[in-house]
Amino acid sequence: MELFRSHVLVCGGTGCTSSGSAQIIEQFEKHIAERGLEREIKVVRTGCFGLCEAGPVVIVYPEGAFYSRVKPEDVNEIVEEHLLKGRIVQRLIYKGDGAAPERERSLDKIGFYKKQKRIALRNCGVIDPENIDEYIAMDGYQALAKVLGGMKPMDVVNTVLESGLRGRGGAGFPTGLKWKFAMGGATPKYIVCNADEGDPGAFMDRSVLEGDPHAVLEAMAIAGYAVGASQGYIYVRAEYPIAVKRLGIAIGQAREYGLLGKNIFGSEFDFDIELRLGAGAFVCGEETALFSSIEGERGEPRPKPPFPAVKGVFGGPTIINNVETLANIPQIIVRGPEWFSAIGTEKSKGTKVFALGGKVNNTGLVEVPMGTTLREIVYEIGGGIPGGKAFKAAQTGGPSGGCIPAEHLDTPIDYDSLAAIGSMMGSGGLIVLDEDDCMVDIARFFLEFTVDESCGKCPPCRIGTRRMLEILERIVSGKGEPGDIDKLIKLGSTIKRTAMCGLGQSAPNPVLSTIRYFRDEYEAHINEKRCPAGHCKALMRYIIDPDKCKRCGICARACPVGAISGDKTRPYTIDPAVCVKCGLCIEKCRFGAIYTK
Amino acid sequence: MGKKLDPKLFEALEQVIVRYKDHKGPLMPVMQAAQDLFGYLPIEVQDYIARGLDIPLVKVYGVATFYSQFKLEPNGENTISVCLGTACYVRGAQKVLDRLKEELGIEEGKTTPDGLFTLSGTRCLGCCGLAPVIMINDDVYGRLKPDDIPGILDKYRRARSA
Ligand SMILES: Cc1cc2nc3c(=O)[nH]c(=O)nc-3n(C[C@H](O)[C@H](O)[C@H](O)COP(=O)(O)O)c2cc1C
Ligand code: FES
């Protein structure tokens, strides 16, 4: 490999690409070429660094200077000052969470990264995902070489078993056990990677695919060797164009290097991978529905048993694993199961990646050892809640999950502790909610999603979730009736017991868990026709504070329905009978005199 | 059935069918390629695929109507996708969507009468740090306020009249 004196790493993940990182790369290449520095400085487009809030992000090595919210017009200055004269551009350095300003802030000094441990994400933001050589330089494909160079299939399965790795797709099933079940039985067998990432507010798997696609390919080949499969499928959401493109490039390069295809590493082992694109159906993340979809059918789930290890895609025994699960495998093989099982808690080993979003300062992607508390994630890594607002709850597991209220902020995050408090680990979506968020409305939001996505095959899910949604819609629009809460609980428990697949079985969770912890909010909506968070429009009243009102009349002019009256001599007031609650007056008032109750 | 479909596109579709015919489970990849070619899946195209793969038309239609990405009607010139993922929702995506509906005078999933915009909702676009987010064609607009909407739409209106 060539040697460069500096590396400029520009994040090419989806978040930073959206905020313009492609132009930044162009600018770096242009300004570096203008100064004839192409042989000294290398510009690398990497996967996601995680701190999407600060994007677009640029890191310059060897100093490790972390520049945030860089604009194309800033690039010339970085090249001139930092790359040419060795002076870090302080103005652009990430200042972040208000910690003591440091002259140059590098990755390991930033609060966001301090508590993290990167295994699944270890190469994300570090290597160029479109260049297989960079993956190989980070010990890539060493695990596959080790496996093919002398491990028996049973040894591979035992290694994964001993590591204690559990599925990261949501259910937390021990991965080694899943592989073991698929060892005997009929042929041909298949390895499927579930990259359908259905949680509507999460993007962990996408970042792995965008930032380190080869790790997934390598793991699939290892799984193929362990159970005797020679064909793999990656089922990836079509909404992830960058991931699809990089996976395609990675598969091409791996074939070219003989790391996929026939006689890998000169062994008898053949393995190849085909990409399959989803087409926008949440239920296709459920494994049996995913198989139907690969086969070219409507993505409807099938009853289990038979389990995938016996009868999966195209009727053959199939291992299906989530992207993040797979991303852990190569390192478990290279570094040994003891290394992995030393991280985490007794029953949940290793790390978990979360997509941290919502009302938190540092939104982005974080990877923490199992057992880290929610408080550490929200406050130390996430930098707390914006605007000094109070934490209300964290939602995990998306439409299948539940919420964790403030009283459980110190619960260690692992599969079993989260299940014990009525939430779930889920695939990694972690949305922080503050005092302004209405829990009834959040439950309604998720239920609306599942109703929309229900495939319609079984009645409990098709009809039952719709009835629950209707009740919730009534409650948030001020038409709730006594007894609604009990009806929701009864319906929810019945659906959980009787639905055919995981979608229906978990759909009531967001409702049941918000009732469990925030029953008072439901009651306020129903009995007092009041939304304690001041969120639900139908229950809201707009009021002008007469002491703050400067009588400028801007609100009255802005009001589209003429609900506001007043003049220079008396403060303005809003007629609730006319007000349509559009919120325009609040936006327009320059004195913060209008509020909702 | 609106305008006539370009025969050249059917030739391209034929090649796709030939390429996938011997693959296992060829239907979805062929339909996805067909939608890339035609922009949507009119019944003539579905019929062509059914014949090419030797399967009943009803099966193609069943798949086309199951998945939200398959479109049976053409989109407008510009497609606006509003992220309705959780992170965007809690940061005010609904207000942005409401404003778009108001400005365009259409509901989610519909196209403006002049054919300039199609409005659709989508799930997490993967840039929750920029929430709330919309995407118009391939361009992402983040950290939006409802008041930003008219200015953004004007850009596309001007581009058309230019
Ligand atoms: C409605 C529903 C949606 C799911 N969505 C996903 C998904 O998006 N990604 C995923 O990896 N697993 C998803 N799963 C879980 C899969 O069915 C399956 O358990 C998982 O892919 C197994 O991989 P793992 O053991 O590595 O976690 C979903 C399950 C259900 C019931
Ligand atoms: S929820 Fe909108 S980008 Fe993630």
Side-chain angles (χ1 to χ4, degrees):
Chain A
M1 262 189 169
E2 289 170 87
L3 280 177
F4 294 93
R5 85 175 153 83
S6 282
H7 284 82
V8 177
L9 272 50
V10 185
C11 177
T14 293
C16 286
T17 303
S18 318
S19 48
S21 67
Q23 288 96 294
I24 290 170
I25 294 177
E26 255 171 48
Q27 288 294 317
F28 266 111
E29 282 169 349
K30 175 171 156 252
H31 290 293
I32 288 172
E34 274 171 15
R35 292 173 177 78
L37 298 173
E38 307 96 306
R39 299 185 150 267
E40 293 174 41
I41 297 164
K42 185 165 178 181
V43 182
V44 186
R45 180 181 50 203
T46 68
C48 179
F49 291 123
L51 192 49
C52 309
E53 179 73 30
V57 170
V58 174
I59 304 184
V60 179
Y61 284 105
E63 296 86 352
F66 190 99
Y67 294 112
S68 66
R69 296 214 181 167
V70 177
K71 293 192 207 53
E73 54 275 22
D74 296 330
V75 170
N76 190 29
E77 188 179 342
I78 299 179
V79 174
E80 179 69 27
E81 286 294 309
H82 186 158
L83 296 175
L84 210 60
K85 300 181 185 153
R87 291 195 294 242
I88 286 169
V89 184
Q90 292 301 333
R91 150 182 103 76
L92 297 170
I93 288 288
Y94 176 70
K95 312 280 186 319
D97 19 46
E102 287 172 47
R103 223 180 64 76
E104 78 205 40
R105 293 196 125 224
S106 62
L107 235 48
D108 48 347
K109 295 195 194 110
I110 295 173
F112 180 75
Y113 293 102
K114 244 192 282 180
K115 288 243 161 174
Q116 294 199 45
K117 180 161 184 71
R118 301 191 130 210
I119 298 176
L121 297 178
R122 81 181 170 125
N123 287 331
C124 290
V126 178
I127 63 169
D128 174 357
E130 295 184 9
N131 184 348
I132 190 172
D133 291 328
E134 297 208 2
Y135 179 65
I136 292 173
M138 300 297 286
D139 299 340
Y141 289 104
Q142 228 183 64
L144 184 60
K146 181 169 170 184
V147 163
L148 296 180
M151 285 175 82
K152 290 200 201 58
M154 197 60 219
D155 300 337
V156 179
V157 171
N158 280 334
T159 304
V160 178
L161 259 178
E162 284 160 26
S163 74
L165 176 65
R166 294 168 66 172
R168 304 295 193 236
F173 193 80
T175 307
L177 211 52
K178 195 181 260 190
W179 290 21
K180 196 168 168 183
F181 289 150
M183 283 187 80
T187 50
K189 299 178 187 177
Y190 301 95
I191 308 296
V192 174
C193 168
N194 188 341
D196 197 43
E197 196 152 55
D199 181 342
F203 56 101
M204 304 69 53
D205 294 344
R206 146 189 243 154
S207 293
V208 172
L209 298 172
E210 286 178 359
D212 198 14
H214 285 286
V216 174
L217 307 187
E218 182 177 9
M220 289 176 74
I222 292 169
Y225 174 76
V227 302
S230 56
Q231 179 66 46
Y233 291 98
I234 302 179
Y235 187 86
V236 55
R237 300 182 61 183
E239 292 92 331
Y240 286 3
I242 302 179
V244 170
K245 173 174 158 242
R246 293 195 183 149
L247 277 171
I249 293 173
I251 291 174
Q253 290 178 343
R255 282 188 189 141
E256 207 176 289
Y257 276 52
L259 298 166
L260 284 178
K262 298 237 173 277
N263 304 107
I264 298 174
F265 281 118
S267 71
E268 300 282 282
F269 176 60
D270 305 337
F271 191 77
D272 210 342
I273 296 175
E274 204 180 299
L275 272 184
R276 286 302 174 97
L277 267 53
F282 172 64
V283 70
C284 288
E286 196 280 336
E287 50 201 24
T288 60
L290 189 152
F291 299 151
S292 304
S293 185
I294 292 184
E295 291 165 11
E297 306 282 337
R298 292 163 69 92
E300 287 171 0
R302 313 164 184 172
K304 286 188 278 192
F307 288 97
V310 178
K311 196 161 181 252
V313 72
F314 301 117
T318 303
I319 292 184
I320 175 159
N321 274 130
N322 163 264
V323 171
E324 188 189 333
T325 314
L326 290 168
N328 281 292
I329 298 281
Q331 289 175 86
I332 290 175
I333 302 282
V334 170
R335 305 172 82 158
E338 308 78 22
W339 162 79
F340 189 81
S341 63
I343 305 162
T345 63
E346 193 197 332
K347 289 198 177 141
S348 304
K349 301 298 185 192
T351 57
K352 179 75 194 90
V353 182
F354 289 99
L356 187 58
K359 307 291 181 58
V360 60
N361 279 313
N362 302 330
T363 52
L365 215 60
V366 308
E367 180 170 357
V368 290
M370 296 276 188
T372 304
T373 65
L374 185 60
R375 186 185 300 281
E376 288 171 296
I377 296 180
V378 173
Y379 287 95
E380 293 180 37
I381 299 174
I385 322 274
K389 301 258 180 182
F391 172 93
K392 184 183 264 184
Q395 210 282 344
T396 60
S400 314
C403 62
I404 309 171
E407 66 206 77
H408 289 305
L409 263 172
D410 291 308
T411 306
I413 302 229
D414 60 42
Y415 294 98
D416 311 290
S417 314
L418 287 185
I421 57 172
S423 187
M424 68 185 287
M425 178 79 94
S427 59
L430 204 170
I431 305 285
V432 179
L433 305 170
D434 72 9
E435 53 190 287
D436 295 339
D437 291 307
C438 166
M439 300 311 286
V440 186
D441 185 60
I442 292 290
R444 188 205 56 78
F445 167 80
F446 282 116
L447 212 62
E448 185 177 39
F449 175 84
T450 29
V451 165
D452 199 32
E453 295 291 344
S454 168
C455 76
K457 192 161 171 173
C458 78
C461 177
R462 183 182 66 236
I463 306 168
T465 55
R466 188 168 287 277
R467 291 293 94 83
M468 286 181 79
L469 178 61
E470 285 162 4
I471 298 176
L472 287 169
E473 282 174 342
R474 264 210 333 262
I475 298 179
V476 297
S477 57
K479 303 194 189 91
E481 297 159 9
D484 274 351
I485 300 180
D486 292 329
K487 262 190 224 154
L488 284 172
I489 295 177
K490 187 147 178 254
L491 259 172
S493 344
T494 310
I495 296 169
K496 277 178 78 121
R497 267 186 294 110
T498 52
M500 188 177 77
C501 87
L503 191 152
Q505 288 159 10
S506 62
N509 287 351
V511 183
L512 297 177
S513 104
T514 45
I515 293 180
R516 173 166 169 182
Y517 292 112
F518 299 95
R519 197 178 174 115
D520 54 331
E521 285 195 26
Y522 280 82
E523 284 166 352
H525 282 76
I526 296 171
N527 302 333
E528 303 162 36
K529 308 291 174 222
R530 180 173 69 84
C531 173
H535 174 94
C536 293
K537 233 173 150 178
L539 301 177
M540 213 147 58
R541 278 187 56 203
Y542 283 73
I543 299 166
I544 300 178
D545 182 343
D547 298 333
K548 286 194 189 153
C549 177
K550 296 272 190 286
R551 304 171 196 190
C552 66
I554 286 186
C555 58
R557 282 194 294 280
C559 179
V561 290
I564 308 183
S565 56
D567 53 44
K568 285 259 176 289
T569 60
R570 59 191 173 100
Y572 282 76
T573 53
I574 302 175
D575 179 355
V578 183
C579 172
V580 291
K581 300 161 186 173
C582 66
L584 217 57
C585 52
I586 293 201
E587 272 170 45
K588 295 288 181 212
C589 178
R590 282 190 242 130
F591 310 105
I594 309 179
Y595 62 97
T596 57
K597 209 173 84 177
Chain B
M1 271 287 110
K3 45 181 190 210
K4 192 125 170 42
L5 298 160
D6 186 350
K8 279 215 195 69
L9 293 177
F10 281 101
E11 278 167 35
L13 179 58
E14 181 61 36
Q15 283 168 18
V16 172
I17 292 175
V18 169
R19 177 146 51 92
Y20 280 103
K21 209 169 166 147
D22 299 324
H23 277 229
K24 281 190 150 166
L27 183 53
M28 294 260 297
V30 169
M31 289 174 68
Q32 279 158 339
Q35 178 150 306
D36 281 345
L37 286 169
F38 291 88
Y40 69 116
L41 296 174
I43 197 75
E44 295 87 337
V45 172
Q46 294 179 44
D47 190 41
Y48 194 90
I49 294 173
R51 287 168 202 273
L53 294 176
D54 205 12
I55 52 175
L57 173 59
V58 62
K59 188 165 166 197
V60 180
Y61 184 74
V63 169
T65 49
F66 184 85
Y67 297 95
S68 62
Q69 281 209 327
F70 291 127
K71 291 190 275 283
L72 303 182
E73 280 167 31
N75 262 8
E77 269 170 54
N78 302 292
T79 302
I80 307 178
S81 316
V82 183
C83 179
L84 297 175
T86 322
C88 286
Y89 184 74
V90 303
R91 287 207 197 171
Q94 188 65 44
K95 283 195 186 133
V96 173
L97 177 62
D98 289 346
R99 185 62 176 267
L100 274 163
K101 285 186 192 166
E102 191 189 314
E103 293 285 332
L104 297 172
I106 51 172
E107 285 302 304
E108 192 186 329
K110 298 281 182 244
T111 301
T112 50
D114 63 0
L116 192 54
F117 296 106
T118 297
L119 181 61
S120 67
T122 171
R123 309 296 171 191
C124 183
L125 293 169
C127 29
C128 313
L130 305 177
V133 176
I134 68 170
M135 197 160 95
I136 303 188
N137 307 327
D138 290 329
D139 293 326
V140 173
Y141 299 86
R143 301 194 178 104
L144 284 178
K145 290 187 211 57
D147 275 348
D148 299 336
I149 298 297
I152 294 174
L153 293 179
D154 276 348
K155 217 170 86 181
Y156 292 86
R157 292 189 172 121
R158 276 199 306 274
R160 181 194 235 184
S161 43

